Amino acid sequence: MLHLRLNVPAELTDEVVRTLEATVGTAHLAVVPGASRNPAGDLVLCDVAREAGDELLGDLRALGLDRSGAIAVENIDLSLSKRAEKAEAEAPGEGVDAVLWEQLTDATHEESTLTVTYVAFLAIATMLAACGVMLDNAILIVGAMAVGPEFGPLAGISTALVQRAPGLVWRSLTALVAGFAAAMLLTAGFGWLLDQLGLFDKAMLEAARPNTAFIWKPDWMSFVVAFLAGVAGTLSLTSAKSGALIGVAISVTTVPAAANAAMAFSYKEYAQTWGSTGQLLANLGGIVLAGILTLLTQKALLTSARRRRTPVR
């Protein structure tokens, strides 16, 4: 269940209440006249089944409430109520399958912004991966994968394309391209410094590296793994199961590929540079494609469920 807190101008209260009452899957409606001071008006509280939340938010925005008042949404971890159970039973589809597009767009917008913190995390992850590449250490590679924040912009691109939001597409692309460019440049400088200190040398990069040579040797399995990880990552965002993102992060070799490309380029090992770049692009493309197809499938399933289900009154 979701909890809605609405700050409603007095002239809109009756219309908002009618909308809430007409929505299948709502419960626990409460109106506190005059309680809202900024903006001035009434405070309206309501619970709604997650699977009915997206449609209701769209209706409230159509009334202009997001402009003249305010809409706040919270997840309810526990609700002991027969009326809540009835509301969830009446709502079309299943809550775990529902997508709150407003919430998803807001989350990916935040994660897809080119900030100092985002670049710092990506650069640190790439430097860790560079250490893993040079030392042929799989543990460092896995750690670098977990640190990398690149899934945010990738999810932002998928969401924006499905929602036809060009602004978010460009924001996400900027964060992705500029972020990786900055991280790879900083990693090349990091590698040069460690080379001067005698901790790195070209022979380490040219060695057999049985644990990490796959990073610059992309194949179709690279794309398949990235695609599956993209599906899992998108599902984790839409179902609010964020723990699954850790598994996604350590499944794809975006950050290690960027690190290997940076190190190989600095040592003029261009075969590894191009191979790593191919690996990076295959992983990025697989994740974005998987995200688009997953979101389109979820959207179609929810639409189908709404058409099949007859509201119980």
Side-chain angles (χ1 to χ4, degrees), residues 16-229:
V16 167
V17 169
R18 281 195 297 270
T19 299
L20 295 174
E21 290 177 333
T23 300
V24 175
T26 57
H28 314 139
L29 175 62
V31 180
V32 187
S36 179
R37 296 295 183 89
N38 184 19
D42 305 325
L43 180 64
V44 179
L45 307 173
C46 180
D47 295 341
V48 61
R50 182 180 175 86
E51 52 269 41
D54 185 66
E55 187 174 15
L56 176 57
L57 290 175
D59 292 340
L60 292 174
R61 293 195 67 177
L63 294 176
L65 186 58
D66 56 321
R67 298 185 297 275
S68 60
I71 304 171
V73 183
E74 301 173 341
N75 287 309
I76 299 176
D77 294 326
L78 177 64
S79 180
L80 303 177
S81 165
K82 289 292 183 182
R83 184 66 193 89
E85 293 177 6
K86 183 172 183 290
E88 289 184 320
E90 292 175 349
E94 297 295 333
V96 71
D97 296 330
V99 179
L100 292 178
W101 292 101
E102 296 288 349
Q103 184 182 58
L104 181 61
T105 301
D106 183 69
T108 52
H109 182 279
E110 181 179 348
E111 296 294 326
S112 302
T113 303
L114 185 64
T115 62
V116 173
T117 300
Y118 167 80
V119 173
F121 268 113
L122 191 55
I124 291 170
T126 310
M127 291 177 192
L128 282 172
C131 293
V133 164
M134 300 300 286
L135 298 174
D136 194 34
N137 189 315
I139 295 176
L140 290 176
I141 294 295
V142 171
M145 289 175 174
V147 173
E150 73 279 6
F151 190 81
L154 293 171
I157 293 172
S158 299
T159 302
L161 291 174
V162 172
Q163 291 293 88
R164 299 178 183 177
L168 182 56
V169 172
W170 290 115
R171 175 186 291 268
S172 301
L173 279 174
T174 299
L176 194 66
V177 175
F180 267 113
M184 292 170 72
L185 182 62
L186 290 170
T187 299
F190 171 76
W192 176 85
L193 177 61
L194 266 63
D195 182 87
Q196 297 301 304
L197 294 174
L199 298 176
F200 283 177
D201 61 63
K202 189 174 182 180
M204 298 169 71
L205 191 70
E206 295 174 334
R209 291 164 48 201
N211 294 320
T212 57
F214 72 93
I215 292 172
W216 63 278
K217 297 177 180 178
D219 54 26
W220 277 107
M221 281 306 301
S222 301
F223 182 84
V224 170
V225 171
F227 185 87
L228 294 175

